């Protein structure tokens, strides 16, 4: 199965490709469902494509918002630019946008977004007649339903399914709550996630008197979906006929993308899922579940928050002459035992020794002297420490420290 990873920006794209993604999906600064991601200016997409293709990975571009007339008018030139940039696929949910994509970017594959809610073979065949080469399953489909659809489809029409990440309580993410409550449309990439909020009831006869929806002083998070985690069920996805598995997360940082991609890559390459599964608890996540694949999806009704077993301590910038230069992301200290997450390598421990802060060069001092320090606590600043073995550039260092954030208190 193809492993498809999110790329909210160039940093995430590099991490996804280095850690084993077969393809990445991204969006330009228009038409994508994650407007808060860094995304890619249209003139930056050729660079992104060149990097991915140079490492054997494909690039899929999301163009799956709810289209209005002005959006449709802008698409022909947009699609021609994406074709010229060399992208491999367009992820589309709107029929008009699909027709324009086939007309103006005929060499680019058409993939039907989960936003189109394709949940049966008849709908999939209609999309195929319109030029689609791949269907991204509606998130409400079970494994049994996917297998049934696969059996009824021609072999040339591929099936993609989500395997990991945040889920939405609305049918295939088509939600109107954000628009109603805040004026920001989730269907155009601006969701405020009101399904994650705590709700209470107001009694009609006593305005201003609120009661929790359940007997809990904090209210309830009845629409707060669990995160999807299918790492231990990849064989079942393959048996159902899934050609590509997709990781959600274009709003996530590079450390998250690298960690999740690495875990799924290891299992796809033959490692025991049970041995790899703890890796997915090291990154920020809500309670995990298996979505609709084996029955009704469950909600995380106790609180809206995240937890993780590790903190992202630093990014490795360079390693030479027995020293590693890193970019600080979270506090770490002299003597700490950090874990190195490197592409296609087992996780190993790195002890922080002879820690120094590296001041930024200035016109007055172009080569500032490294300053010995007991703690690295300046986020986004460079530090150096002694390392017995080389740390690959583009790797990540994590500190085993549990953290939970919650909006229930």
């Amino acid at each position: 199965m193809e492993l498809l990873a999110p790329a909210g920006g160039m940093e995430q794209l590099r991490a996804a490709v280095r850690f084993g993604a077969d393809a990445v999906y991204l969006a330009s600064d228009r038409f994508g469902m994650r407007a808060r991601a860094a995304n890619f200016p249209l003139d930056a997409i050729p660079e992104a494509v060149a990097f991915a293709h140079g490492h054997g990975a494909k690039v899929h571009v999301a163009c799956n918002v709810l289209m209005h007339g002005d959006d449709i008018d802008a698409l022909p030139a947009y699609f021609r630019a994406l074709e010229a940039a060399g992208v491999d696929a367009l992820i589309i949910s709107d029929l008009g946008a699909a027709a324009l994509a086939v007309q103006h970017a005929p060499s680019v594959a058409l993939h039907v977004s989960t936003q189109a809610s394709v949940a049966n073979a008849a709908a999939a065949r209609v999309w195929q007649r319109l030029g689609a080469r791949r269907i991204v399953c509606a998130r409400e489909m079970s494994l049994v339903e996917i297998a049934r659809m696969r059996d009824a489809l021609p072999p040339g029409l591929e099936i993609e399914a989500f395997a990991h990440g945040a889920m939405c309580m609305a049918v295939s993410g088509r939600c109107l709550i954000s628009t109603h409550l805040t004026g920001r449309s989730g269907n155009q990439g601006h969701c405020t996630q009101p399904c994650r909020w705590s709700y209470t009831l107001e009694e009609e006869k006593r305005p201003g008197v609120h009661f929790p929806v359940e007997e809990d002083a904090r209210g309830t998070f009845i629409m707060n979906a669990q995160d999807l985690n299918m790492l231990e069920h990849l064989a079942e996805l393959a048996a159902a006929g899934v050609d590509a598995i997709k990781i959600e997360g274009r709003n996530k940082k590079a450390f998250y993308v690298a960690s999740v991609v690495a875990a799924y890559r290891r299992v796809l390459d033959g490692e025991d899922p049970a041995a790899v599964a703890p890796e997915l608890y090291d990154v920020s996540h809500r309670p995990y579940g298996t979505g609709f694949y084996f029955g009704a999806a469950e909600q995380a009704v106790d609180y809206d928050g995240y937890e993780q077993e590790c903190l992202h301590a630093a990014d490795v910038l360079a390693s030479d002459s027995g020293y590693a230069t890193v970019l600080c992301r979270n506090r770490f200290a002299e003597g700490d035992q950090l874990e190195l997450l490197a592409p296609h390598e087992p996780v190993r421990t790195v002890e922080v020794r002879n820690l120094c802060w590296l001041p930024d060069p200035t016109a007055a001092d172009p080569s500032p002297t490294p300053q010995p320090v007991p703690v690295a606590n300046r986020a986004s600043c460079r530090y150096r420490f002694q390392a017995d073995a080389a740390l690959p550039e583009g790797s990540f260092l994590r500190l085993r420290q549990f953290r939970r954030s919650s909006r229930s208190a």
Side-chain angles (χ1 to χ4, degrees), residues 291-308:
F292 290 88
Y293 286 120
F294 300 102
E298 295 184 5
Q299 309 295 83
V301 298
D302 293 328
Y303 70 97
D304 174 32
Y306 299 87
E307 60 184 47
Q308 57 197 104

Side-chain angles (χ1 to χ4, degrees), residues 17-327:
V17 170
R18 286 170 174 159
F19 280 81
D22 299 305
V24 297
Y25 66 102
L26 53 85
S28 185
D29 41 18
R30 294 187 67 182
F31 310 124
M33 289 295 291
R34 296 292 184 273
R36 287 181 297 166
N39 292 316
F40 292 79
L42 189 56
D43 60 7
I45 289 183
E47 178 189 357
V49 171
F51 181 88
H53 285 181
H55 291 78
K58 295 181 178 181
V59 175
H60 305 175
V61 176
C63 186
N64 55 348
V65 298
L66 180 66
M67 294 287 174
H68 293 285
D70 289 344
D71 300 318
I72 291 292
D73 291 344
L75 287 179
Y78 179 70
F79 287 149
R80 289 193 293 268
L82 291 177
E83 183 178 48
V87 305
D88 299 284
L90 295 167
I91 306 170
I92 287 176
S93 61
D94 182 87
L95 287 169
L100 290 171
V102 171
Q103 178 183 354
H104 294 282
S107 68
V108 182
L110 174 61
H111 293 181
V112 181
S113 171
T114 189
Q115 297 293 121
S117 298
V118 176
N120 61 79
R125 285 193 294 268
V126 170
W127 276 104
Q128 186 182 36
R129 289 197 293 272
L130 295 173
R133 301 186 203 174
R134 177 180 292 186
I135 301 297
V136 185
C137 293
R139 297 195 190 188
E140 297 73 38
M141 294 185 73
S142 68
L143 280 176
V144 171
E145 290 172 322
I146 292 174
R148 177 182 177 182
M149 185 169 74
R150 173 74 277 169
D151 289 342
L153 293 178
L157 185 57
E158 297 177 347
I159 290 179
E160 178 180 305
F162 280 88
H164 194 92
M167 297 287 283
C168 178
M169 52 74 63
V171 174
S172 292
R174 296 182 299 171
C175 181
L176 299 176
I177 302 176
S178 183
T179 301
H180 176 70
L181 293 181
T182 71
R184 292 173 53 184
S185 172
N187 295 308
Q188 293 190 300
H190 299 281
C191 184
T192 57
Q193 295 193 325
C195 57
R196 310 290 184 186
W197 302 349
S198 175
Y199 288 89
T200 60
L201 295 175
E202 178 176 315
E203 187 179 346
E204 179 182 7
K205 301 291 187 183
R206 288 184 283 178
V209 179
H210 293 263
F211 298 90
V213 179
E214 292 182 350
E215 288 300 321
D216 188 317
R218 300 168 300 181
T220 184
F221 296 83
I222 57 173
M223 297 182 287
N224 185 35
Q226 293 181 343
D227 281 0
L228 181 64
N229 180 351
M230 288 291 285
L231 185 74
E232 299 190 59
H233 302 284
L234 298 188
E236 288 121 305
L237 285 166
V242 172
D243 298 287
I245 55 170
K246 188 172 197 170
I247 297 169
E248 183 277 337
R250 283 197 295 115
N251 281 331
K252 299 294 189 179
K253 303 296 185 183
F255 171 71
Y256 176 95
V257 172
S259 300
V260 177
V261 167
Y264 277 83
R265 180 78 273 158
R266 288 169 59 186
V267 175
L268 287 171
D269 288 347
E271 289 194 43
D272 180 5
V276 181
E279 289 289 313
L280 297 178
Y281 290 86
D282 290 337
V283 295
S284 178
H285 64 281
R286 296 183 180 92
Y288 282 133
T290 54
F292 290 88
Y293 286 120
F294 300 102
E298 295 184 5
Q299 309 295 83
V301 298
D302 293 328
Y303 70 97
D304 174 32
Y306 299 87
E307 60 184 47
Q308 57 197 104
E309 298 292 335
C310 287
L311 297 183
H312 175 197
D315 303 342
V316 178
L317 301 178
S319 182
D320 54 56
S321 303
Y323 283 86
T325 301
V326 304
L327 187 69

